[in-house]
Amino acid sequence: MTPIRKGQAPAALSRSVFHERFMESFMDPAFQAEAEAISRVEAIAWDAYQEGRKAPRTRKAGPGYADPDYDLSVEWLATKARIEQAQAAWQDPATPSRVLLVCGSARNDGTCPGEISKTFRMVQWAEETLAQAQIQTDVLDLSLLTSSYHLNIHPCKGCVSTAMPLCHWPCSCYPNHAQGQTSDWMNEIYERWTAAHAVIIVTPVYWYQSPSPLKLMIDRLVCADGGNPDPTRTHGKKVAEAKTLELQGWDYPQHLAGRAYGLVVHGDVAGIEGVRRGLSDWLDWMGLIDAGSQARLDRYVGYYAPYATSHDALDADAPLQAEVRNVASAVAHAVKALRAGTLSQPDKGLSRPRPK
């Protein structure tokens, strides 16, 4: 057994610090009328924090799990059931073809910027093109993280780096009620990725990188590539059990493999090629299939021009508008070939000599 390294975890919060953090959600003077009620709720939250009640509602895993008597979170079980239903629909040839359109920008006109993103406009062009091809679309607008009440994509905790079986499909790290880490959007996002026959990611470049909402989602999708679909095999987050399983040989199941993808990456100064290449490599690694060279686009909009006129620059760039629509058209062709069983996958069936 390889040793388990310890010594980084922070100390538990003191009661006074916990109080300060808890009360930050109630700074509005309107809450003062319910100060006593809030104090009672805080006492319950403090008790949950001290006892580490991560998943306060559980039930027995039941048939189909390695340890049917193990208590699993009812929230995780519900997410798992929806993913299984989505996968069954994805495999059913009678269901309509479906493309997930991911808007990676953090900007929208419902929050501080006060204006829609160019990314969202490009998503709309792709949506129109796919509708003309009679393909259903599902728009996942990640800017909702900046403009919706109590909606979160919590960060990945890096369970994979301890042992792959410790990373569950879907992620079981959240919600963590003891830590107040709730309203995790990924429970819904996993289902939406699973239901899609193809994914198109449209994103700007922020400081040579993907925007933080997009990167949060990407990191939390690590469980889709090699994740353990049975948390009872590790009895939750039992590190020693997970390490033992991995060292016995792990098969790294690719839960989203076989879907097609397209990309649109845009910027104003630098970084578009690096971001596009990084996204392509990530999707390739997970077993998704690119829809051809015209489905992987990186372009500048208003190169070194003022930010204030960037929408005008997009209006004037008719070739770019056509290229975005070509991405959607290429993905539409790939989806039809995929569902007909004729989409080319030259490396299909090859096993990796060094899986990870």
Side-chain angles (χ1 to χ4, degrees):
M1 176 62 197
T2 182
I4 299 169
R5 315 303 170 98
K6 297 285 189 178
Q8 186 182 353
L13 298 180
S14 67
R15 184 67 178 88
S16 61
V17 173
F18 181 91
H19 171 73
E20 291 175 3
R21 295 190 184 179
F22 183 85
M23 291 304 297
E24 286 175 357
S25 297
F26 305 100
M27 291 297 290
D28 188 330
F31 284 112
Q32 289 301 310
E34 299 296 335
E36 292 184 4
I38 292 171
S39 180
R40 291 194 296 271
V41 171
E42 180 187 347
I44 296 170
W46 169 247
D47 185 58
Y49 172 74
Q50 286 186 301
E51 294 186 6
R53 296 202 297 267
K54 173 185 175 182
R57 295 185 179 183
T58 61
R59 69 168 176 81
K60 300 299 181 184
Y65 288 92
D67 184 353
D69 290 326
Y70 184 75
D71 292 325
L72 286 177
S73 162
V74 296
E75 294 163 299
W76 184 89
L77 286 165
T79 302
K80 178 70 170 179
R82 292 195 302 271
I83 288 175
E84 290 175 344
Q85 290 172 0
Q87 181 66 25
W90 181 83
Q91 293 173 317
D92 184 352
T95 59
S97 295
R98 186 182 183 89
V99 173
L100 180 66
L101 289 163
V102 179
C103 180
S105 174
R107 176 166 68 131
N108 69 46
D109 55 326
T111 185
C112 304
E115 184 177 47
I116 66 172
S117 66
K118 297 182 291 296
T119 308
F120 184 70
R121 294 178 61 192
M122 295 179 193
V123 167
Q124 290 179 314
W125 299 336
E127 188 176 18
E128 292 167 0
T129 302
L130 290 165
Q132 292 169 3
Q134 298 183 324
I135 291 179
Q136 291 185 358
T137 55
D138 176 16
V139 175
L140 175 57
D141 185 356
L142 295 178
S143 75
L144 294 182
L145 286 178
T146 69
S147 61
S148 293
Y149 179 76
H150 220 272
L151 186 65
N152 304 295
I153 295 179
H154 295 291
C156 176
K157 295 180 180 179
C159 296
V160 167
S161 294
T162 291
M164 188 75 242
L166 201 64
C167 180
H168 301 147
W169 168 251
C171 177
S172 65
C173 292
Y174 304 101
N176 185 329
H177 293 276
Q179 297 284 351
Q181 297 166 337
T182 59
S183 301
D184 185 46
W185 199 11
M186 287 305 300
N187 287 334
E188 175 188 324
I189 290 174
Y190 291 131
E191 178 186 359
R192 293 167 74 172
W193 271 76
T194 303
H197 296 96
V199 177
I200 299 176
I201 297 175
V202 187
T203 183
V205 173
Y206 288 2
W207 283 117
Y208 290 86
Q209 307 289 336
S210 296
S212 52
L214 177 58
K215 188 59 168 62
L216 282 167
M217 182 190 72
I218 288 171
D219 287 353
R220 291 289 303 286
L221 279 165
V222 66
C223 58
D225 189 73
N228 177 6
D230 184 354
T232 73
R233 295 186 69 189
T234 57
H235 293 94
K237 296 292 183 175
K238 300 295 185 183
V239 173
E241 292 183 26
K243 284 181 177 287
T244 299
L245 275 175
E246 185 179 56
L247 292 175
Q248 288 173 349
W250 190 251
D251 60 353
Y252 295 91
Q254 293 185 308
H255 301 290
L256 295 176
R259 289 151 179 83
Y261 78 84
L263 292 170
V264 177
V265 178
H266 66 92
D268 65 335
V269 174
I272 57 173
E273 291 182 348
V275 171
R276 187 261 306 155
R277 187 161 46 246
L279 290 172
S280 292
D281 287 352
W282 165 61
L283 292 162
D284 289 341
W285 187 277
M286 290 207 301
L288 277 76
I289 309 158
D290 74 79
S293 60
Q294 291 197 64
R296 302 186 306 274
L297 180 68
D298 54 67
R299 291 290 183 268
Y300 290 110
V301 180
Y303 188 64
Y304 271 99
Y307 293 111
T309 58
S310 62
H311 273 288
D312 300 329
L314 183 57
D315 288 338
D317 198 337
L320 173 55
Q321 296 175 31
E323 288 174 317
V324 172
R325 294 182 183 276
N326 277 348
V327 171
S329 293
V331 169
H333 293 318
V335 167
K336 290 177 180 178
L338 173 68
R339 305 208 72 192
T342 59
L343 183 63
S344 176
Q345 296 177 252
D347 59 351
K348 186 175 182 180
L350 295 179
S351 59
R352 293 177 177 173
R354 294 185 292 183
K356 191 173 182 179

